[in-house]
Amino acid sequence: MFDEEFKHKSTKQECRYLTEVIQDFIDSKNKSKGQSDSWNQKYTNLKNKLIAFEDKKRKKVEFTSITQDWIDEFCGFLRVIKVKPFKPHNDNTLHRTINFLITVLIWSEGKYHKIDLKKIKNPVNKYQPDDVFLTDQEIKVLEKFQFPRESLERARDLFLIGVYSGQRYSDYSIFEKADIHGDMIIKKAEKTESESFIPLHPKLKALLDKYDWQLPKISNQKFNKRIQEACRLAGFDEEIKEIIYSGTKKEIVYNLKYKMISSHTARRTFITLSSEKGMPDHIIMKITGIKDPKTLIKYKKTSQKSVVDSMQKYWG
């Protein structure tokens, strides 16, 4: 009797649709500790991409359908997707999306399916993007620039808080006085739960005090639009060459610098400039909460001026 009930229950669970389980995953994580808006958006987007795939196939996806071949087919669909608000995925976007899916599969193992996850892998390799950072001079321009709208000033201030702290937007946008310990802010990262020891630099403290540590609440999407507009007005219109990979295709595009700036540019700027100024890697990692040196290397960029200065220093 028990075996029959268990068998029936298992069969029912294995027939769950993938979109339902993604929603269960989202709900469960939010109940356990609550997740940020950006986290919820990532997994909601995953579910909506899957719904678009189901619409094309005219069939809902069950867990029994999920194999490496299915993953490959889903990747092929995402490479050409044109269902608003989604655009065709390059390799980095695709790699990230499939990682989100695999995270859901790992969470759901034993709950809704018996998929052998050892046979499931992300088939897409990441490439190192030509990410931008701000130079010392550009930061000085941004600090002093008088913006025509208060919303742009707030976005500028939030961005500079990211530059001075080296944190992710999801972490530095929720700093509070309770985080102060002596002359530093000690904060546990929302994404990785690693602890950061952030010196309370005078410029950082001045901006936090400006808002009485009650920082403006702006969604990441709105923030990115506003900081790009702020940087456009500040004159950051250098043309940047970018190489984008999509499978076997390689596309070279040219973008104006301000269009490539986002909330994450602040963290990359802190890491790059700190390294160029001679701050040891282990200190940068302690401030940013980065544990893996390989991750730190991905953040580091090098300015043309630094290359020229180094050449003159060592070759005269």
Side-chain angles (χ1 to χ4, degrees):
M1 183 71 174
F2 176 81
D3 289 342
E4 289 180 2
E5 288 180 1
F6 180 78
K7 183 177 180 181
H8 175 73
K9 185 177 181 181
S10 297
T11 302
K12 184 179 179 181
Q13 286 181 331
E14 287 172 0
C15 290
R16 288 292 298 271
Y17 296 119
L18 182 52
T19 50
E20 295 175 335
V21 176
I22 293 173
Q23 188 59 55
D24 283 350
F25 170 77
I26 294 171
D27 293 342
S28 175
K29 292 296 183 182
N30 279 312
K31 285 177 183 177
S32 63
K33 65 174 184 177
Q35 300 291 337
S36 67
D37 290 342
S38 61
W39 183 94
N40 275 277
Q41 190 63 54
K42 289 172 186 175
Y43 285 95
T44 299
N45 282 345
L46 172 64
K47 187 179 76 169
N48 290 336
K49 290 172 188 178
L50 187 62
I51 290 171
F53 179 69
E54 290 177 331
D55 288 344
K56 181 186 178 184
K57 302 291 288 185
R58 296 184 180 180
K59 182 180 179 182
K60 291 183 71 65
V61 176
E62 298 180 0
F63 264 111
T64 52
S65 306
I66 300 176
T67 61
Q68 189 63 49
D69 287 342
W70 182 89
I71 296 281
D72 292 341
E73 185 181 7
F74 187 46
C75 285
F77 168 75
L78 293 177
R79 286 194 185 280
V80 297
I81 187 173
K82 292 183 180 179
V83 179
K84 291 184 178 180
F86 307 115
K87 299 178 181 179
H89 288 24
N90 60 42
D91 283 5
N92 278 5
T93 304
L94 191 52
H95 178 89
R96 187 164 57 248
T97 298
I98 298 304
N99 272 356
F100 292 153
L101 176 59
I102 290 174
T103 296
V104 174
L105 295 179
I106 292 171
W107 172 84
S108 60
E109 189 174 15
K111 297 182 180 71
Y112 306 114
H113 69 90
K114 295 179 181 178
I115 299 171
D116 185 357
L117 293 177
K118 293 179 182 178
K119 295 181 180 179
I120 300 292
K121 65 178 182 178
N122 193 330
V124 185
N125 294 321
K126 289 178 66 176
Y127 64 88
Q128 185 64 25
D130 300 317
D131 293 319
V132 299
F133 68 96
L134 298 194
T135 64
D136 261 332
Q137 184 58 39
E138 286 170 331
I139 291 172
K140 290 175 183 176
V141 170
L142 207 56
E143 288 173 338
K144 298 177 181 178
F145 200 87
Q146 297 296 314
F147 290 100
R149 301 197 305 275
E150 191 177 344
S151 61
L152 296 181
E153 181 182 337
R154 289 196 296 266
R156 182 272 309 275
D157 290 347
L158 280 172
F159 184 85
L160 290 177
I161 288 171
V163 172
Y164 302 146
S165 68
Q167 305 303 296
R168 297 180 185 84
Y169 181 73
S170 58
D171 295 318
Y172 72 72
S173 61
I174 55 173
F175 279 157
E176 53 188 3
K177 286 185 177 179
D179 299 325
I180 300 176
H181 297 268
D183 294 327
M184 67 174 55
I185 298 171
I186 299 179
K187 193 79 175 174
K188 187 171 284 189
E190 179 186 88
K191 182 177 179 180
T192 63
E193 295 194 347
S194 60
E195 210 166 42
S196 298
F197 293 81
I198 309 152
L200 197 52
H201 187 279
K203 289 185 177 181
L204 173 59
K205 186 177 184 302
L207 283 174
L208 292 170
D209 287 343
K210 176 179 177 178
Y211 295 95
D212 195 25
W213 290 70
Q214 300 295 317
L215 298 180
K217 301 296 182 183
I218 310 173
S219 70
N220 196 54
Q221 186 175 16
K222 285 184 179 179
F223 174 79
N224 287 338
K225 288 181 179 179
R226 290 176 186 175
I227 194 59
Q228 286 177 5
E229 173 65 6
C231 289
R232 182 188 72 81
L233 292 175
F236 303 162
D237 53 5
E238 174 190 356
E239 194 171 65
I240 303 291
K241 177 181 177 181
E242 186 177 14
I243 301 175
I244 299 174
Y245 295 88
S246 181
T248 58
K249 298 179 181 178
K250 182 174 76 171
E251 181 183 5
I252 297 176
V253 297
Y254 294 87
N255 280 316
L256 298 179
K257 185 170 185 176
Y258 71 85
K259 292 183 178 181
M260 301 176 69
I261 293 171
S262 68
S263 61
H264 216 60
T265 307
R267 181 171 168 87
R268 189 180 307 112
T269 296
F270 170 82
I271 291 172
T272 298
L273 295 186
S274 294
S275 179
E276 289 191 347
K277 293 173 188 293
M279 185 181 289
D281 282 358
H282 71 280
I283 299 297
I284 296 175
M285 292 172 71
K286 199 66 178 177
I287 293 172
T288 58
I290 293 174
K291 294 181 178 179
D292 189 346
K294 292 180 182 178
T295 302
L296 183 68
I297 290 172
K298 292 177 182 178
Y299 275 100
K300 285 184 180 180
K301 303 297 174 180
T302 305
S303 67
Q304 292 179 8
K305 183 177 183 303
S306 295
V307 173
V308 172
D309 289 348
S310 292
M311 190 68 178
Q312 290 176 345
K313 176 181 176 181
Y314 291 107
W315 284 84

